[in-house]
Amino acid sequence: MNNSPTDINNSNNVNTPPDLKTLQCFLAVADFGNVTRAAESLYMTQPALSLRLKQLADRYQLTLFRRTSRGLDLTDDGLALVVRARQVISSLSELDRTAVQLHKQVRGGLRIGTVIDPEFIRLGAFLHALVDAAPLLEKELRQGMSGNVRDWVLRNEVDAGYFLDHLSQQGVDNLEHGLHQKSLTNFAYWVVAPPGWEARMADKDWDGLARLPWIGTAQASVHGRLLQEVYSERSAMPRFVAKVDQESSMLAMVRSGIGLSLCRDSVAMQEKHRHGLAINERVSIDCTLSFICLESRQHEGPIACALDVLDLVWGSSFQNGIAELTPQRSTGYDAPVRP
């Protein structure tokens, strides 16, 4: 294993780097201090391993080991080379791990239908976690009312999206039977009225409220669907004096004294404290915020990844189906729809 000192730069074989097996042989002997045991650990014959050690020593024209009574010890040159050899092995292992991860990485595109207040649905946290989980996945957002999102999913115009209300209560030709619904949180819609209307709303049930003026919303809005569900089996329907397609307009009309409206519970409390809106304490409508996709597509890579990410985003504060409802601004209506 001793080599005569010559200029290594003049050696032709230095242009070809040692292969991985040769470096593994070198490190095994360095670790065991014994050729026989090193060969056994690599499932090689002793002569084959010794040949690789000789080729490595000849290549660099260095003495890598010296014989002692205990076996083989590294020389100073051998110690220096061991450090580099381990770095090379580690880099190659990292390269393999990276390649494996790239094969596992979710690719393609994900079209997401979004609704209402981004903070309430934790859209920012969801997208941030989705980027971390699938950086190669292209994300596209399409904003609308939850009824729109349901229809887009059914028509494959989006891959998945947020939905308000319970699918089991919807009746669109039973098409919802093909939808997968992942519940994120439960909350309630309350009836709010202009400031000073407390007496007009006191103790009124749904029949009594129907005789008061209401602010209507588009049919695709959760407000419209919920009211339709409440009054579908009643003799009277609310009297709509105006219709809006944006949350800001709806609340502005309530504040100005025009009529009643449904409002998400946490937003209703904010409006009561900030603007004095009256709240009917007798009636309310339970509602669910969920994430929906076609049942047949829930295991596709991009959609499955999104469903897993939602577990992380909502898992920290989701307990017994109830999540913290602490939005930073008073919104609760479906996303604005521009004419």
Side-chain angles (χ1 to χ4, degrees), residues 220-237:
S221 164
V222 64
H223 298 73
R225 296 198 312 275
L226 292 177
L227 283 178
Q228 181 65 36
E229 293 165 12
V230 167
Y231 284 104
S232 61
E233 299 180 357
R234 300 178 186 274
S235 58
M237 282 292 292

Side-chain angles (χ1 to χ4, degrees), residues 179-192:
L179 288 174
H180 171 74
Q181 182 177 25
K182 181 182 184 66
S183 297
L184 302 178
T185 185
N186 299 322
F187 60 102
Y189 275 99
W190 295 344
V191 178
V192 295

Side-chain angles (χ1 to χ4, degrees), residues 304-316:
C305 180
L307 293 172
D308 289 342
V309 166
L310 284 167
D311 284 334
L312 297 176
V313 171
W314 287 88
S316 59

Side-chain angles (χ1 to χ4, degrees), residues 193-196 198 251-252 254-256 267-278 330:
E198 286 82 2
L251 290 176
V254 176
R255 295 186 202 115
S256 62
V267 177
M269 290 301 299
Q270 290 182 1
E271 289 294 314
K272 177 180 180 179
H273 292 305
R274 294 176 182 175
H275 303 287
L277 296 194
S330 58

Side-chain angles (χ1 to χ4, degrees), residues 242-255:
K243 283 194 174 183
V244 298
D245 60 4
Q246 294 190 30
E247 167 72 6
S248 58
S249 299
M250 182 189 75
L251 290 176
M253 287 186 174
V254 176
R255 295 186 202 115

Side-chain angles (χ1 to χ4, degrees), residues 34-292:
N34 183 283
V35 173
T36 301
R37 293 175 60 191
E40 291 173 352
S41 71
L42 296 174
Y43 303 99
M44 297 176 62
T45 64
Q46 181 176 339
L49 186 145
S50 297
L51 177 61
R52 286 185 177 269
L53 287 182
K54 183 179 185 306
Q55 290 172 340
L56 185 65
D58 290 344
R59 168 187 173 77
Y60 293 121
Q61 301 179 8
L62 294 172
T63 300
L64 303 178
F65 295 96
R66 58 174 171 266
R67 297 189 181 277
T68 69
S69 58
R70 298 186 304 274
L72 294 176
D73 285 347
L74 286 165
T75 64
D76 290 341
D77 291 337
L79 283 170
L81 207 60
V82 158
V83 173
R84 294 299 185 186
R86 293 195 194 281
Q87 291 173 348
V88 170
I89 296 293
S90 176
S91 296
L92 289 173
S93 298
E94 183 63 31
L95 181 63
D96 285 341
R97 287 192 292 270
T98 300
V100 170
Q101 289 301 319
L102 286 174
H103 278 290
K104 294 180 179 179
Q105 191 66 255
V106 178
R107 299 168 186 264
L110 182 66
R111 300 164 299 170
I112 305 168
T114 66
V115 299
I116 66 168
D117 180 5
E119 292 184 12
F120 174 63
I121 65 175
R122 306 186 184 181
L123 183 60
F126 169 64
L127 293 176
H128 187 277
L130 192 59
V131 169
D132 287 343
L136 300 180
L137 181 65
E138 295 182 6
K139 298 88 177 170
E140 177 185 340
L141 301 183
R142 183 176 179 182
Q143 194 176 55
M145 299 182 181
S146 59
N148 299 137
V149 173
R150 177 199 59 206
D151 295 339
W152 294 341
V153 170
L154 289 170
R155 295 195 298 261
N156 270 318
E157 294 179 17
V158 298
D159 303 304
Y162 293 89
F163 183 73
L164 292 163
D165 205 357
H166 308 284
L167 285 176
S168 59
Q169 296 179 5
Q170 301 301 306
V172 186
D173 299 328
N174 295 321
L175 289 176
E176 284 80 6
H177 290 249
L179 288 174
H180 171 74
Q181 182 177 25
K182 181 182 184 66
S183 297
L184 302 178
T185 185
N186 299 322
F187 60 102
Y189 275 99
W190 295 344
V191 178
V192 295
W197 282 38
E198 286 82 2
R200 297 182 65 178
M201 287 215 306
D203 297 326
K204 280 188 169 58
D205 59 10
W206 288 114
D207 290 326
L209 292 172
R211 293 188 286 270
L212 296 175
W214 278 79
I215 300 167
T217 61
Q219 187 175 1
S221 164
V222 64
H223 298 73
R225 296 198 312 275
L226 292 177
L227 283 178
Q228 181 65 36
E229 293 165 12
V230 167
Y231 284 104
S232 61
E233 299 180 357
R234 300 178 186 274
S235 58
M237 282 292 292
R239 181 169 60 90
F240 297 114
V241 296
K243 283 194 174 183
V244 298
D245 60 4
Q246 294 190 30
E247 167 72 6
S248 58
S249 299
M250 182 189 75
L251 290 176
M253 287 186 174
V254 176
R255 295 186 202 115
S256 62
I258 293 178
L260 312 181
S261 177
L262 290 180
C263 190
R264 183 158 43 93
D265 47 13
S266 57
V267 177
M269 290 301 299
Q270 290 182 1
E271 289 294 314
K272 177 180 180 179
H273 292 305
R274 294 176 182 175
H275 303 287
L277 296 194
I279 297 176
N280 180 290
E281 298 182 357
R282 183 171 178 180
V283 300
S284 65
I285 307 175
D286 292 333
C287 193
T288 297
L289 170 66
S290 58
F291 196 77
I292 62 174

